[in-house]
Amino acid sequence: MLELKDVIKSDRWILTSFEVMKYNPIFRNVKGEYLKDEWTGYYIGDKFDGKVLTYSEYKQTEDKYIEAIAYLFGYYKCDKIQFISERFFLDDEEIKILDSINKCDS
């Protein structure tokens, strides 16, 4: 079995995995279901915990994921990433709408 000491220090990050999420695990039940009334996907305009989710709030949260990845890249001195799968949740028209909203927010 491969042990950490057998891997050169610069490659040890490969054996580490991270999960970056905004969801507090104390709000999960034993099945792993998230129980708090909080948005868990792209639901702009819907109410959660009595508050309407805005695009700005959604984007601010999603940008934090990018910041976390950038931090990890710096910490591990990594300059590339490989995606092994891709999923798109928005169609081209929805992406155009978001782009136009984003330009208005600037």
Side-chain angles (χ1 to χ4, degrees), residues 56-84:
S56 294
E57 182 182 355
Y58 173 84
K59 185 173 183 324
Q60 183 179 29
T61 300
E62 294 300 311
D63 285 347
K64 289 178 182 177
Y65 288 107
I66 304 302
E67 290 173 23
I69 291 168
Y71 171 82
L72 292 170
F73 268 53
Y75 183 84
Y76 287 105
K77 296 174 180 49
C78 177
D79 63 358
K80 56 188 137 191
I81 189 169
Q82 178 181 359
F83 289 93
I84 56 174

PDB file of all heavy atoms in Angstrom, residues 56-84:
ATOM      1  N   SER A  56     -26.962  38.912  -6.766  1.00  0.00           N
ATOM      2  CA  SER A  56     -25.739  39.410  -6.123  1.00  0.00           C
ATOM      3  C   SER A  56     -25.322  38.511  -4.957  1.00  0.00           C
ATOM      4  O   SER A  56     -24.143  38.186  -4.808  1.00  0.00           O
ATOM      5  CB  SER A  56     -25.923  40.838  -5.634  1.00  0.00           C
ATOM      6  OG  SER A  56     -26.083  41.700  -6.720  1.00  0.00           O
ATOM      7  N   GLU A  57     -26.294  38.119  -4.128  1.00  0.00           N
ATOM      8  CA  GLU A  57     -25.980  37.234  -2.998  1.00  0.00           C
ATOM      9  C   GLU A  57     -25.499  35.872  -3.501  1.00  0.00           C
ATOM     10  O   GLU A  57     -24.538  35.309  -2.987  1.00  0.00           O
ATOM     11  CB  GLU A  57     -27.209  37.054  -2.104  1.00  0.00           C
ATOM     12  CG  GLU A  57     -26.936  36.187  -0.900  1.00  0.00           C
ATOM     13  CD  GLU A  57     -28.164  35.954  -0.034  1.00  0.00           C
ATOM     14  OE1 GLU A  57     -29.224  36.538  -0.302  1.00  0.00           O
ATOM     15  OE2 GLU A  57     -28.050  35.165   0.918  1.00  0.00           O
ATOM     16  N   TYR A  58     -26.188  35.352  -4.507  1.00  0.00           N
ATOM     17  CA  TYR A  58     -25.795  34.064  -5.091  1.00  0.00           C
ATOM     18  C   TYR A  58     -24.365  34.141  -5.626  1.00  0.00           C
ATOM     19  O   TYR A  58     -23.528  33.299  -5.321  1.00  0.00           O
ATOM     20  CB  TYR A  58     -26.764  33.689  -6.209  1.00  0.00           C
ATOM     21  CG  TYR A  58     -26.347  32.463  -6.972  1.00  0.00           C
ATOM     22  CD1 TYR A  58     -26.659  31.192  -6.497  1.00  0.00           C
ATOM     23  CD2 TYR A  58     -25.636  32.571  -8.167  1.00  0.00           C
ATOM     24  CE1 TYR A  58     -26.274  30.059  -7.190  1.00  0.00           C
ATOM     25  CE2 TYR A  58     -25.242  31.438  -8.860  1.00  0.00           C
ATOM     26  CZ  TYR A  58     -25.562  30.192  -8.367  1.00  0.00           C
ATOM     27  OH  TYR A  58     -25.164  29.071  -9.051  1.00  0.00           O
ATOM     28  N   LYS A  59     -24.078  35.186  -6.413  1.00  0.00           N
ATOM     29  CA  LYS A  59     -22.749  35.332  -7.027  1.00  0.00           C
ATOM     30  C   LYS A  59     -21.668  35.505  -5.965  1.00  0.00           C
ATOM     31  O   LYS A  59     -20.586  34.932  -6.073  1.00  0.00           O
ATOM     32  CB  LYS A  59     -22.730  36.493  -8.005  1.00  0.00           C
ATOM     33  CG  LYS A  59     -21.408  36.594  -8.760  1.00  0.00           C
ATOM     34  CD  LYS A  59     -21.449  37.643  -9.835  1.00  0.00           C
ATOM     35  CE  LYS A  59     -20.195  37.738 -10.643  1.00  0.00           C
ATOM     36  NZ  LYS A  59     -18.943  37.526  -9.971  1.00  0.00           N
ATOM     37  N   GLN A  60     -21.966  36.278  -4.925  1.00  0.00           N
ATOM     38  CA  GLN A  60     -20.996  36.491  -3.855  1.00  0.00           C
ATOM     39  C   GLN A  60     -20.617  35.153  -3.207  1.00  0.00           C
ATOM     40  O   GLN A  60     -19.441  34.886  -2.954  1.00  0.00           O
ATOM     41  CB  GLN A  60     -21.582  37.438  -2.811  1.00  0.00           C
ATOM     42  CG  GLN A  60     -20.642  37.779  -1.688  1.00  0.00           C
ATOM     43  CD  GLN A  60     -21.284  38.741  -0.697  1.00  0.00           C
ATOM     44  OE1 GLN A  60     -22.503  38.761  -0.505  1.00  0.00           O
ATOM     45  NE2 GLN A  60     -20.470  39.545  -0.056  1.00  0.00           N
ATOM     46  N   THR A  61     -21.598  34.319  -2.973  1.00  0.00           N
ATOM     47  CA  THR A  61     -21.335  33.004  -2.383  1.00  0.00           C
ATOM     48  C   THR A  61     -20.554  32.119  -3.338  1.00  0.00           C
ATOM     49  O   THR A  61     -19.570  31.478  -2.952  1.00  0.00           O
ATOM     50  CB  THR A  61     -22.659  32.315  -1.983  1.00  0.00           C
ATOM     51  OG1 THR A  61     -23.324  33.145  -1.031  1.00  0.00           O
ATOM     52  CG2 THR A  61     -22.422  30.942  -1.402  1.00  0.00           C
ATOM     53  N   GLU A  62     -20.960  32.092  -4.599  1.00  0.00           N
ATOM     54  CA  GLU A  62     -20.265  31.251  -5.579  1.00  0.00           C
ATOM     55  C   GLU A  62     -18.827  31.725  -5.793  1.00  0.00           C
ATOM     56  O   GLU A  62     -17.921  30.912  -5.975  1.00  0.00           O
ATOM     57  CB  GLU A  62     -21.034  31.231  -6.891  1.00  0.00           C
ATOM     58  CG  GLU A  62     -22.400  30.557  -6.798  1.00  0.00           C
ATOM     59  CD  GLU A  62     -22.332  29.097  -6.358  1.00  0.00           C
ATOM     60  OE1 GLU A  62     -21.542  28.326  -6.918  1.00  0.00           O
ATOM     61  OE2 GLU A  62     -23.074  28.736  -5.434  1.00  0.00           O
ATOM     62  N   ASP A  63     -18.604  33.038  -5.740  1.00  0.00           N
ATOM     63  CA  ASP A  63     -17.243  33.569  -5.882  1.00  0.00           C
ATOM     64  C   ASP A  63     -16.329  33.085  -4.766  1.00  0.00           C
ATOM     65  O   ASP A  63     -15.114  32.947  -4.955  1.00  0.00           O
ATOM     66  CB  ASP A  63     -17.251  35.100  -5.921  1.00  0.00           C
ATOM     67  CG  ASP A  63     -17.744  35.651  -7.243  1.00  0.00           C
ATOM     68  OD1 ASP A  63     -17.860  34.880  -8.227  1.00  0.00           O
ATOM     69  OD2 ASP A  63     -18.029  36.869  -7.302  1.00  0.00           O
ATOM     70  N   LYS A  64     -16.898  32.800  -3.610  1.00  0.00           N
ATOM     71  CA  LYS A  64     -16.095  32.288  -2.499  1.00  0.00           C
ATOM     72  C   LYS A  64     -15.525  30.905  -2.816  1.00  0.00           C
ATOM     73  O   LYS A  64     -14.456  30.546  -2.324  1.00  0.00           O
ATOM     74  CB  LYS A  64     -16.918  32.268  -1.207  1.00  0.00           C
ATOM     75  CG  LYS A  64     -17.173  33.665  -0.678  1.00  0.00           C
ATOM     76  CD  LYS A  64     -18.028  33.641   0.569  1.00  0.00           C
ATOM     77  CE  LYS A  64     -18.307  35.060   1.027  1.00  0.00           C
ATOM     78  NZ  LYS A  64     -19.195  35.078   2.194  1.00  0.00           N
ATOM     79  N   TYR A  65     -16.239  30.129  -3.625  1.00  0.00           N
ATOM     80  CA  TYR A  65     -15.692  28.840  -4.061  1.00  0.00           C
ATOM     81  C   TYR A  65     -14.427  29.053  -4.894  1.00  0.00           C
ATOM     82  O   TYR A  65     -13.431  28.348  -4.727  1.00  0.00           O
ATOM     83  CB  TYR A  65     -16.716  28.057  -4.898  1.00  0.00           C
ATOM     84  CG  TYR A  65     -17.857  27.485  -4.117  1.00  0.00           C
ATOM     85  CD1 TYR A  65     -19.127  28.032  -4.204  1.00  0.00           C
ATOM     86  CD2 TYR A  65     -17.681  26.376  -3.288  1.00  0.00           C
ATOM     87  CE1 TYR A  65     -20.195  27.501  -3.494  1.00  0.00           C
ATOM     88  CE2 TYR A  65     -18.742  25.841  -2.578  1.00  0.00           C
ATOM     89  CZ  TYR A  65     -19.991  26.406  -2.684  1.00  0.00           C
ATOM     90  OH  TYR A  65     -21.036  25.882  -1.973  1.00  0.00           O
ATOM     91  N   ILE A  66     -14.473  30.036  -5.783  1.00  0.00           N
ATOM     92  CA  ILE A  66     -13.301  30.351  -6.609  1.00  0.00           C
ATOM     93  C   ILE A  66     -12.149  30.811  -5.725  1.00  0.00           C
ATOM     94  O   ILE A  66     -10.996  30.403  -5.922  1.00  0.00           O
ATOM     95  CB  ILE A  66     -13.652  31.436  -7.653  1.00  0.00           C
ATOM     96  CG1 ILE A  66     -14.831  31.016  -8.526  1.00  0.00           C
ATOM     97  CG2 ILE A  66     -12.433  31.796  -8.488  1.00  0.00           C
ATOM     98  CD1 ILE A  66     -14.653  29.731  -9.290  1.00  0.00           C
ATOM     99  N   GLU A  67     -12.449  31.644  -4.729  1.00  0.00           N
ATOM    100  CA  GLU A  67     -11.410  32.101  -3.803  1.00  0.00           C
ATOM    101  C   GLU A  67     -10.782  30.917  -3.063  1.00  0.00           C
ATOM    102  O   GLU A  67      -9.567  30.882  -2.846  1.00  0.00           O
ATOM    103  CB  GLU A  67     -11.992  33.088  -2.791  1.00  0.00           C
ATOM    104  CG  GLU A  67     -12.373  34.425  -3.387  1.00  0.00           C
ATOM    105  CD  GLU A  67     -13.089  35.316  -2.389  1.00  0.00           C
ATOM    106  OE1 GLU A  67     -12.934  35.125  -1.158  1.00  0.00           O
ATOM    107  OE2 GLU A  67     -13.820  36.214  -2.847  1.00  0.00           O
ATOM    108  N   ALA A  68     -11.594  29.958  -2.660  1.00  0.00           N
ATOM    109  CA  ALA A  68     -11.084  28.779  -1.954  1.00  0.00           C
ATOM    110  C   ALA A  68     -10.162  27.968  -2.860  1.00  0.00           C
ATOM    111  O   ALA A  68      -9.085  27.529  -2.430  1.00  0.00           O
ATOM    112  CB  ALA A  68     -12.242  27.911  -1.457  1.00  0.00           C
ATOM    113  N   ILE A  69     -10.556  27.792  -4.102  1.00  0.00           N
ATOM    114  CA  ILE A  69      -9.717  27.048  -5.047  1.00  0.00           C
ATOM    115  C   ILE A  69      -8.410  27.801  -5.295  1.00  0.00           C
ATOM    116  O   ILE A  69      -7.327  27.204  -5.307  1.00  0.00           O
ATOM    117  CB  ILE A  69     -10.481  26.790  -6.363  1.00  0.00           C
ATOM    118  CG1 ILE A  69     -11.620  25.799  -6.099  1.00  0.00           C
ATOM    119  CG2 ILE A  69      -9.548  26.281  -7.452  1.00  0.00           C
ATOM    120  CD1 ILE A  69     -12.610  25.673  -7.222  1.00  0.00           C
ATOM    121  N   ALA A  70      -8.497  29.118  -5.464  1.00  0.00           N
ATOM    122  CA  ALA A  70      -7.286  29.925  -5.670  1.00  0.00           C
ATOM    123  C   ALA A  70      -6.347  29.801  -4.464  1.00  0.00           C
ATOM    124  O   ALA A  70      -5.124  29.681  -4.626  1.00  0.00           O
ATOM    125  CB  ALA A  70      -7.661  31.383  -5.919  1.00  0.00           C
ATOM    126  N   TYR A  71      -6.924  29.807  -3.272  1.00  0.00           N
ATOM    127  CA  TYR A  71      -6.106  29.644  -2.066  1.00  0.00           C
ATOM    128  C   TYR A  71      -5.384  28.297  -2.084  1.00  0.00           C
ATOM    129  O   TYR A  71      -4.185  28.218  -1.807  1.00  0.00           O
ATOM    130  CB  TYR A  71      -6.970  29.760  -0.810  1.00  0.00           C
ATOM    131  CG  TYR A  71      -6.213  29.398   0.440  1.00  0.00           C
ATOM    132  CD1 TYR A  71      -5.383  30.327   1.061  1.00  0.00           C
ATOM    133  CD2 TYR A  71      -6.297  28.116   0.986  1.00  0.00           C
ATOM    134  CE1 TYR A  71      -4.655  29.989   2.191  1.00  0.00           C
ATOM    135  CE2 TYR A  71      -5.577  27.769   2.116  1.00  0.00           C
ATOM    136  CZ  TYR A  71      -4.757  28.702   2.717  1.00  0.00           C
ATOM    137  OH  TYR A  71      -4.039  28.357   3.825  1.00  0.00           O
ATOM    138  N   LEU A  72      -6.128  27.235  -2.405  1.00  0.00           N
ATOM    139  CA  LEU A  72      -5.518  25.903  -2.433  1.00  0.00           C
ATOM    140  C   LEU A  72      -4.442  25.796  -3.498  1.00  0.00           C
ATOM    141  O   LEU A  72      -3.402  25.167  -3.287  1.00  0.00           O
ATOM    142  CB  LEU A  72      -6.598  24.831  -2.632  1.00  0.00           C
ATOM    143  CG  LEU A  72      -7.552  24.670  -1.457  1.00  0.00           C
ATOM    144  CD1 LEU A  72      -8.713  23.768  -1.836  1.00  0.00           C
ATOM    145  CD2 LEU A  72      -6.818  24.130  -0.236  1.00  0.00           C
ATOM    146  N   PHE A  73      -4.662  26.428  -4.655  1.00  0.00           N
ATOM    147  CA  PHE A  73      -3.632  26.443  -5.700  1.00  0.00           C
ATOM    148  C   PHE A  73      -2.359  27.078  -5.160  1.00  0.00           C
ATOM    149  O   PHE A  73      -1.262  26.582  -5.376  1.00  0.00           O
ATOM    150  CB  PHE A  73      -4.118  27.222  -6.923  1.00  0.00           C
ATOM    151  CG  PHE A  73      -4.786  26.381  -7.966  1.00  0.00           C
ATOM    152  CD1 PHE A  73      -5.834  25.542  -7.645  1.00  0.00           C
ATOM    153  CD2 PHE A  73      -4.365  26.447  -9.287  1.00  0.00           C
ATOM    154  CE1 PHE A  73      -6.454  24.774  -8.614  1.00  0.00           C
ATOM    155  CE2 PHE A  73      -4.980  25.683 -10.259  1.00  0.00           C
ATOM    156  CZ  PHE A  73      -6.025  24.837  -9.924  1.00  0.00           C
ATOM    157  N   GLY A  74      -2.502  28.210  -4.471  1.00  0.00           N
ATOM    158  CA  GLY A  74      -1.339  28.896  -3.912  1.00  0.00           C
ATOM    159  C   GLY A  74      -0.666  28.080  -2.821  1.00  0.00           C
ATOM    160  O   GLY A  74       0.559  27.966  -2.786  1.00  0.00           O
ATOM    161  N   TYR A  75      -1.460  27.515  -1.951  1.00  0.00           N
ATOM    162  CA  TYR A  75      -0.913  26.737  -0.837  1.00  0.00           C
ATOM    163  C   TYR A  75      -0.093  25.547  -1.334  1.00  0.00           C
ATOM    164  O   TYR A  75       0.982  25.270  -0.812  1.00  0.00           O
ATOM    165  CB  TYR A  75      -2.060  26.255   0.060  1.00  0.00           C
ATOM    166  CG  TYR A  75      -1.589  25.501   1.273  1.00  0.00           C
ATOM    167  CD1 TYR A  75      -1.199  26.188   2.416  1.00  0.00           C
ATOM    168  CD2 TYR A  75      -1.531  24.106   1.279  1.00  0.00           C
ATOM    169  CE1 TYR A  75      -0.748  25.502   3.538  1.00  0.00           C
ATOM    170  CE2 TYR A  75      -1.092  23.417   2.385  1.00  0.00           C
ATOM    171  CZ  TYR A  75      -0.702  24.115   3.520  1.00  0.00           C
ATOM    172  OH  TYR A  75      -0.259  23.425   4.621  1.00  0.00           O
ATOM    173  N   TYR A  76      -0.613  24.864  -2.342  1.00  0.00           N
ATOM    174  CA  TYR A  76       0.080  23.683  -2.862  1.00  0.00           C
ATOM    175  C   TYR A  76       0.974  23.990  -4.057  1.00  0.00           C
ATOM    176  O   TYR A  76       1.535  23.085  -4.670  1.00  0.00           O
ATOM    177  CB  TYR A  76      -0.935  22.591  -3.235  1.00  0.00           C
ATOM    178  CG  TYR A  76      -1.525  21.933  -2.022  1.00  0.00           C
ATOM    179  CD1 TYR A  76      -2.821  22.217  -1.619  1.00  0.00           C
ATOM    180  CD2 TYR A  76      -0.781  21.055  -1.265  1.00  0.00           C
ATOM    181  CE1 TYR A  76      -3.357  21.624  -0.483  1.00  0.00           C
ATOM    182  CE2 TYR A  76      -1.306  20.454  -0.134  1.00  0.00           C
ATOM    183  CZ  TYR A  76      -2.594  20.748   0.252  1.00  0.00           C
ATOM    184  OH  TYR A  76      -3.116  20.156   1.377  1.00  0.00           O
ATOM    185  N   LYS A  77       1.102  25.274  -4.391  1.00  0.00           N
ATOM    186  CA  LYS A  77       1.930  25.696  -5.530  1.00  0.00           C
ATOM    187  C   LYS A  77       1.550  24.920  -6.797  1.00  0.00           C
ATOM    188  O   LYS A  77       2.381  24.411  -7.525  1.00  0.00           O
ATOM    189  CB  LYS A  77       3.410  25.553  -5.205  1.00  0.00           C
ATOM    190  CG  LYS A  77       3.829  26.467  -4.064  1.00  0.00           C
ATOM    191  CD  LYS A  77       5.255  26.229  -3.641  1.00  0.00           C
ATOM    192  CE  LYS A  77       5.703  27.112  -2.509  1.00  0.00           C
ATOM    193  NZ  LYS A  77       4.891  27.219  -1.360  1.00  0.00           N
ATOM    194  N   CYS A  78       0.247  24.840  -7.008  1.00  0.00           N
ATOM    195  CA  CYS A  78      -0.322  24.116  -8.147  1.00  0.00           C
ATOM    196  C   CYS A  78      -0.665  25.131  -9.233  1.00  0.00           C
ATOM    197  O   CYS A  78      -1.162  26.215  -8.940  1.00  0.00           O
ATOM    198  CB  CYS A  78      -1.581  23.398  -7.675  1.00  0.00           C
ATOM    199  SG  CYS A  78      -2.476  22.508  -8.938  1.00  0.00           S
ATOM    200  N   ASP A  79      -0.384  24.804 -10.487  1.00  0.00           N
ATOM    201  CA  ASP A  79      -0.678  25.763 -11.560  1.00  0.00           C
ATOM    202  C   ASP A  79      -1.657  25.228 -12.598  1.00  0.00           C
ATOM    203  O   ASP A  79      -1.915  25.866 -13.607  1.00  0.00           O
ATOM    204  CB  ASP A  79       0.604  26.232 -12.237  1.00  0.00           C
ATOM    205  CG  ASP A  79       1.358  25.103 -12.921  1.00  0.00           C
ATOM    206  OD1 ASP A  79       0.915  23.943 -12.843  1.00  0.00           O
ATOM    207  OD2 ASP A  79       2.397  25.390 -13.531  1.00  0.00           O
ATOM    208  N   LYS A  80      -2.224  24.063 -12.364  1.00  0.00           N
ATOM    209  CA  LYS A  80      -3.214  23.530 -13.290  1.00  0.00           C
ATOM    210  C   LYS A  80      -4.134  22.558 -12.571  1.00  0.00           C
ATOM    211  O   LYS A  80      -3.835  22.081 -11.491  1.00  0.00           O
ATOM    212  CB  LYS A  80      -2.555  22.868 -14.493  1.00  0.00           C
ATOM    213  CG  LYS A  80      -1.587  21.774 -14.187  1.00  0.00           C
ATOM    214  CD  LYS A  80      -0.861  21.323 -15.429  1.00  0.00           C
ATOM    215  CE  LYS A  80       0.581  21.152 -15.042  1.00  0.00           C
ATOM    216  NZ  LYS A  80       1.508  20.959 -16.046  1.00  0.00           N
ATOM    217  N   ILE A  81      -5.248  22.303 -13.216  1.00  0.00           N
ATOM    218  CA  ILE A  81      -6.243  21.396 -12.657  1.00  0.00           C
ATOM    219  C   ILE A  81      -6.842  20.589 -13.803  1.00  0.00           C
ATOM    220  O   ILE A  81      -6.900  21.060 -14.934  1.00  0.00           O
ATOM    221  CB  ILE A  81      -7.340  22.191 -11.901  1.00  0.00           C
ATOM    222  CG1 ILE A  81      -8.258  21.261 -11.132  1.00  0.00           C
ATOM    223  CG2 ILE A  81      -8.115  23.071 -12.841  1.00  0.00           C
ATOM    224  CD1 ILE A  81      -9.172  21.982 -10.163  1.00  0.00           C
ATOM    225  N   GLN A  82      -7.257  19.389 -13.516  1.00  0.00           N
ATOM    226  CA  GLN A  82      -7.889  18.553 -14.524  1.00  0.00           C
ATOM    227  C   GLN A  82      -9.289  18.202 -14.042  1.00  0.00           C
ATOM    228  O   GLN A  82      -9.470  17.695 -12.939  1.00  0.00           O
ATOM    229  CB  GLN A  82      -7.093  17.273 -14.746  1.00  0.00           C
ATOM    230  CG  GLN A  82      -7.738  16.362 -15.752  1.00  0.00           C
ATOM    231  CD  GLN A  82      -6.956  15.072 -15.962  1.00  0.00           C
ATOM    232  OE1 GLN A  82      -5.918  14.857 -15.359  1.00  0.00           O
ATOM    233  NE2 GLN A  82      -7.461  14.221 -16.803  1.00  0.00           N
ATOM    234  N   PHE A  83     -10.282  18.505 -14.884  1.00  0.00           N
ATOM    235  CA  PHE A  83     -11.648  18.127 -14.582  1.00  0.00           C
ATOM    236  C   PHE A  83     -11.907  16.773 -15.229  1.00  0.00           C
ATOM    237  O   PHE A  83     -11.595  16.571 -16.395  1.00  0.00           O
ATOM    238  CB  PHE A  83     -12.638  19.150 -15.144  1.00  0.00           C
ATOM    239  CG  PHE A  83     -12.609  20.453 -14.421  1.00  0.00           C
ATOM    240  CD1 PHE A  83     -11.804  21.486 -14.857  1.00  0.00           C
ATOM    241  CD2 PHE A  83     -13.378  20.642 -13.285  1.00  0.00           C
ATOM    242  CE1 PHE A  83     -11.761  22.686 -14.179  1.00  0.00           C
ATOM    243  CE2 PHE A  83     -13.352  21.834 -12.593  1.00  0.00           C
ATOM    244  CZ  PHE A  83     -12.529  22.863 -13.048  1.00  0.00           C
ATOM    245  N   ILE A  84     -12.484  15.874 -14.465  1.00  0.00           N
ATOM    246  CA  ILE A  84     -12.742  14.552 -15.023  1.00  0.00           C
ATOM    247  C   ILE A  84     -14.192  14.388 -15.455  1.00  0.00           C
ATOM    248  O   ILE A  84     -14.535  13.402 -16.067  1.00  0.00           O
ATOM    249  CB  ILE A  84     -12.325  13.440 -14.042  1.00  0.00           C
ATOM    250  CG1 ILE A  84     -13.017  13.613 -12.694  1.00  0.00           C
ATOM    251  CG2 ILE A  84     -10.817  13.428 -13.870  1.00  0.00           C
ATOM    252  CD1 ILE A  84     -12.773  12.479 -11.721  1.00  0.00           C
TER     253      ILE A  84
END
